């Protein structure tokens, strides 16, 4: 079955700098790769997603890249702000069953 | 606009007790899911439903049962709680078709002592 690995588990960056979180997946049939943000005490919320027929997608300060050959995808956050502090999860799916990474705690230092 | 609502938010159970977690969504979504979240392990799917009256097992279904008698509700039951079921439980729903955005509830923190 699908397995998703996410790195790093914790990432600390200076406010204004960029943050990059990476995920790898095992099932070459996976075709949907969402990223969710989870704030303390809340459920995860979708921030951006990408499908296997696209290599890159951008939404303001957030971008996701997908390398199907290498089976990895990454989340890029530019000009980080205090409100970006949260836990970020990647996931992979080929149907309606998402397989999740273990999460990355992003800390923005003032 | 409530979205996905979970009841209760917190619960402490003794080993062997039973309980039901309720999930309600008001977005007319076909798909509903129950996940558990444990530290360092991300989200793991317990059971899911692709429509009213249907249920299916996910990654970690043992010790849990579910029912979807109404489209808007998805119930998760623990018949005989064990300490290993201490976790945060999340319900989610998504629209018809694969690979659409999942909307999550606020979570239920369950402790089994």
């Amino acid at each position: 079955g699908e397995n998703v690995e996410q790195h790093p588990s914790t990432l600390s960056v200076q406010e204004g700098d960029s943050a990059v979180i990476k995920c790898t997946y095992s099932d070459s049939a996976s075709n949907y790769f969402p990223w969710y943000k989870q704030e303390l005490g809340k459920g995860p919320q979708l921030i951006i997603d990408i499908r296997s027929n696209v290599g890159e997608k951008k939404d303001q300060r957030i971008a996701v890249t997908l390398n199907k050959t290498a089976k990895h995808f990454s989340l890029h956050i530019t000009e980080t702000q205090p409100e970006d502090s949260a836990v970020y999860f990647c996931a992979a799916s080929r149907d309606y069953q998402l397989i999740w990474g273990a999460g990355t705690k992003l800390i923005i230092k003032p | 606009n409530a979205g996905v609502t979970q009841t209760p938010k917190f619960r402490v159970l003794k080993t062997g007790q039973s309980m039901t977690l309720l999930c309600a969504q008001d977005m007319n979504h076909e798909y509903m899911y129950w996940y558990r979240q444990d530290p360092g392990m991300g989200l793991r799917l317990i059971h899911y439903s692709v429509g009213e009256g249907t249920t299916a097992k996910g990654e970690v279904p043992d010790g849990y049962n579910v029912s979807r008698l109404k489209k808007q509700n998805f119930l998760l039951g623990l018949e005989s709680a064990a300490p290993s079921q201490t976790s945060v439980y999340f319900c989610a729903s998504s629209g018809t078709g694969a690979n659409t955005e999942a909307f999550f509830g606020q979570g239920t923190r369950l402790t089994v002592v």
Side-chain angles (χ1 to χ4, degrees):
Chain A
E2 175 67 281
N3 182 51
V4 176
E5 294 190 359
Q6 183 173 347
H7 300 280
S9 56
T10 304
L11 178 60
S12 184
V13 302
Q14 206 71 36
E15 182 178 347
D17 288 350
S18 295
V20 181
I21 302 170
K22 298 182 179 181
C23 289
T24 60
Y25 61 98
S26 60
D27 187 350
S28 57
S30 290
N31 55 15
Y32 177 62
F33 308 91
W35 285 89
Y36 282 76
K37 176 183 181 182
Q38 186 177 25
E39 297 177 341
L40 197 61
K42 297 185 178 181
Q45 187 169 14
L46 181 72
I47 55 171
I48 195 166
D49 57 12
I50 192 167
R51 299 178 192 276
S52 59
N53 58 348
V54 175
E56 184 173 358
K57 184 176 179 181
K58 190 173 182 180
D59 183 3
Q60 298 182 332
R61 296 187 298 109
I62 294 173
V64 57
T65 58
L66 171 65
N67 183 327
K68 286 180 59 181
T69 302
K71 290 191 280 188
H72 66 69
F73 57 112
S74 301
L75 176 70
H76 305 253
I77 305 174
T78 59
E79 300 172 12
T80 53
Q81 300 170 4
E83 54 265 34
D84 295 330
S85 292
V87 178
Y88 292 80
F89 291 96
C90 64
S93 169
R94 62 174 177 173
D95 46 36
Y96 36 75
Q97 186 165 338
L98 287 170
I99 303 299
W100 297 77
T104 296
K105 182 176 184 179
L106 178 61
I107 300 166
I108 308 299
K109 296 181 290 186
Chain B
N1 190 1
V4 179
T5 303
Q6 291 182 232
T7 310
K9 289 184 171 49
F10 303 93
R11 185 72 186 268
V12 177
L13 283 180
K14 292 182 178 179
T15 298
Q17 286 185 319
S18 63
M19 77 163 294
T20 300
L21 282 67
L22 172 63
C23 177
Q25 53 95 2
D26 62 2
M27 297 171 282
N28 200 35
H29 282 166
E30 291 292 337
Y31 292 70
M32 295 189 74
Y33 313 82
W34 275 108
Y35 290 95
R36 59 177 290 171
Q37 185 174 38
D38 301 296
M41 298 187 73
L43 289 152
R44 292 183 292 169
L45 184 64
I46 304 170
H47 286 280
Y48 64 96
S49 168
V50 300
E52 181 179 314
T54 74
T55 63
K57 294 180 180 180
E59 292 177 78
V60 289
D62 294 343
Y64 306 94
N65 57 74
V66 289
S67 63
R68 184 120 181 251
L69 299 180
K70 293 183 179 180
K71 185 177 183 179
Q72 64 267 34
N73 295 336
F74 195 29
L75 278 63
L76 177 71
L78 286 73
E79 291 185 345
S80 179
S84 60
Q85 295 177 304
T86 293
S87 188
V88 180
Y89 292 85
F90 284 99
C91 176
S93 71
S94 64
T96 302
N99 300 336
T100 58
E101 180 178 359
F103 293 83
F104 283 80
Q106 293 277 67
T108 297
R109 184 173 293 276
L110 175 67
T111 302
V112 182
V113 298

